[in-house]
Amino acid sequence: DAAWRDFESARNVLQQAQARAGNDLSLKFELLNVNSNIGHVLEARGQPAAAASAYRNALALGRELVAANPVVNTDWASALGNAHNNLGKLALQRGDLAEAVAAYRADDAIEARLAAADPRNNDQRENMLRVRAILGRTLALTGDVDAGIRDLQQAVDIATRLIAIAPTQTGFQEKSALYLVQLSRLKRLHGDLPAARTLTTQALATLSVLTRQDPANVSWQQYDAEARSEQAAQSLARGQAATARAQAQGAMNILQPLFAKQPDDRSLLLDTLAASLLLADAGSDAPAARQLREQAWKATQSVKSGKDDPRLLALQVEALLGLQKHAAAKPLIERLWNAGYRDPALLAILRRARVDYPANPAFTTRIAQIMQTDAGAPAPATRAARTPDPKP
């Protein structure tokens, strides 16, 4: 609340100054940054719609700045990219996958241009690899796993080159490990289990070093838990249920205290739910597995915002189908279909449950149009998708 008051006060001062100073570009840049910070505060307060409004203000200011400057100003261009990225995150959380792809793709184009203009700027290359990984992850959620693997591999490759240049820079090591885990997940779901195991082993080795250096670093702990969960999923895919249980429990032991301290953190919620359901799948005790799935389902009901996040809906579907509650899962599956969500993990779960889940042609067309449109330009509108009749 104190942060919000201070940022609002700063915005009022800047708006008054702008009214007197006319088209002062430096004031616009300060106003852009304040709007971004207000958006972050509003997100933290669980007000995504208000946050989106602040981010759209930042986006509009960023476009004005970039258009007014004939020579590339990296700070202004980077701020415009961040505005796209912030809107992409909120679009994903409200279930608008197409808008998320468009926003992330716009940011990716900006970061790539800035990196190409200054190839020795390692901070900019780090920004580029981060956004490239986010775009790849999001494309994989739409069912384009090949694009997801390609973009994540590029992010890993860039991180590897940066580590060679600055081997003690932990930020580069952190991103390398994180994207190795995300790449290994897609490799596993794409059927390349040996490659997935190799990538996860590399990530765990890096994370082991990092967490020993700073055991209190929450992000590194969370990434380590994600790697352990992925390792457990690989063990389960090989039929090694006991090993998978131990690995999934190891992930849970890390995530549960972190999530207890930050129950509104979206990524911690998703990671904890995924690890819990994985532990249920690997369990040999049916009542205990059922309890884990029921607890996971209950945890999803306390979410304050972003209830249409397709990643959250997919975990709800997984929990309900595991509990044999097909009727309750049906409307959630329909929402996922309308959102165009085709993450390979969900498709595998629905196949096992014998749920019909065809591709959404209207969504597929819209994504194709976005990918053919210049990054940052509005995508052509399409008609609303028709809801299918999934049959468990």
Side-chain angles (χ1 to χ4, degrees):
D1 291 341
W4 181 80
R5 286 193 298 271
D6 287 344
F7 286 133
E8 277 292 323
S9 177
R11 180 161 65 176
N12 290 335
V13 170
L14 288 167
Q15 287 174 335
Q16 291 171 19
Q18 189 178 34
R20 297 188 178 101
N23 192 35
D24 187 307
L25 299 182
S26 63
L27 281 177
K28 283 189 177 182
F29 182 56
E30 293 299 331
L31 192 55
L32 182 161
N33 287 328
V34 168
N35 272 286
S36 293
N37 284 321
I38 288 173
H40 295 325
V41 172
L42 291 168
E43 274 195 76
R45 296 172 104 184
Q47 299 174 258
S53 178
Y55 291 147
R56 283 193 292 270
N57 289 338
L59 182 71
L61 288 164
R63 283 174 168 159
E64 288 179 23
L65 287 168
V66 170
N69 189 27
V71 179
V72 174
N73 182 308
T74 56
D75 289 338
W76 296 355
S78 181
L80 176 59
N82 285 335
H84 281 296
N85 199 288
N86 289 327
L87 287 167
K89 179 174 65 171
L90 291 182
L92 178 57
Q93 290 182 6
R94 69 172 180 268
D96 192 342
L97 263 176
E99 182 58 34
V101 168
Y104 288 142
R105 185 165 176 265
D107 187 17
D108 179 70
I110 290 170
E111 304 300 343
R113 284 197 297 270
L114 292 176
D118 189 3
R120 294 188 178 184
N121 186 331
N122 291 335
D123 289 338
Q124 180 54 46
R125 292 168 73 189
E126 184 180 15
N127 286 339
M128 183 179 72
L129 75 89
R130 176 181 60 84
V131 177
R132 184 65 50 83
I134 292 171
L135 176 60
R137 274 202 319 263
T138 310
L139 286 170
L141 297 182
T142 71
D144 194 346
V145 180
D146 289 336
I149 290 174
R150 178 200 66 212
D151 287 352
L152 280 164
Q153 184 66 65
Q154 290 175 0
V156 167
D157 292 344
I158 297 168
T160 301
R161 291 194 288 273
L162 290 174
I163 291 171
I165 295 169
T168 61
Q169 172 56 268
T170 56
F172 300 159
Q173 297 171 38
E174 167 192 322
K175 287 182 175 61
S176 172
L178 174 63
Y179 301 141
L180 279 169
V181 174
Q182 294 173 357
L183 178 59
S184 68
R185 176 182 181 270
L186 291 184
K187 290 277 190 178
R188 169 177 57 83
L189 293 169
H190 209 44
D192 193 349
L193 192 55
R197 292 177 64 188
T198 299
L199 295 170
T200 305
T201 300
Q202 292 174 10
L204 282 166
T206 299
L207 290 164
S208 176
V209 173
L210 290 176
T211 52
R212 282 200 304 269
Q213 288 179 9
D214 185 2
N217 188 305
V218 172
S219 294
W220 295 351
Q221 292 179 52
Q222 184 179 356
Y223 299 158
D224 186 45
E226 290 179 12
R228 292 170 188 266
S229 288
E230 175 53 32
Q231 192 178 47
Q234 293 166 15
S235 295
L236 194 59
R238 297 196 306 272
Q240 299 172 347
T243 301
R245 280 197 300 276
Q247 292 163 338
Q249 187 61 61
M252 288 290 288
N253 292 342
I254 298 170
L255 290 167
Q256 284 178 320
L258 297 180
F259 183 52
K261 291 179 181 178
Q262 301 183 72
D264 295 326
D265 186 286
R266 176 55 49 113
S267 64
L268 278 172
L269 168 67
L270 297 175
D271 283 348
T272 304
L273 291 175
S276 182
L277 293 173
L278 182 59
L279 187 58
D281 288 341
S284 58
D285 184 338
R290 182 175 184 84
Q291 184 178 15
L292 283 167
R293 294 185 177 107
E294 288 175 344
Q295 289 173 345
W297 168 253
K298 184 178 179 181
T300 67
Q301 303 309 292
S302 61
V303 174
K304 296 177 183 177
S305 64
K307 294 183 179 182
D308 290 324
D309 186 330
R311 299 165 299 177
L312 180 64
L313 294 177
L315 289 167
Q316 290 177 323
V317 167
E318 182 178 353
L320 288 170
L321 292 180
L323 293 167
Q324 301 300 310
K325 296 182 178 181
H326 289 233
K330 182 179 177 180
L332 300 179
I333 295 170
E334 292 175 351
R335 285 165 64 186
L336 286 167
W337 187 89
N338 280 320
Y341 188 81
R342 295 189 67 79
D343 181 77
L346 174 70
L347 299 185
I349 289 166
L350 295 179
R351 280 195 299 270
R352 288 196 297 270
R354 298 184 178 181
V355 176
D356 183 31
Y357 193 78
N360 180 329
F363 178 83
T364 301
T365 299
R366 188 177 175 204
I367 288 292
Q369 291 171 334
I370 288 171
M371 298 306 289
Q372 292 168 4
T373 302
D374 288 341
T382 57
R383 289 184 298 176
R386 179 185 60 83
T387 302
D389 181 23
K391 298 179 177 63

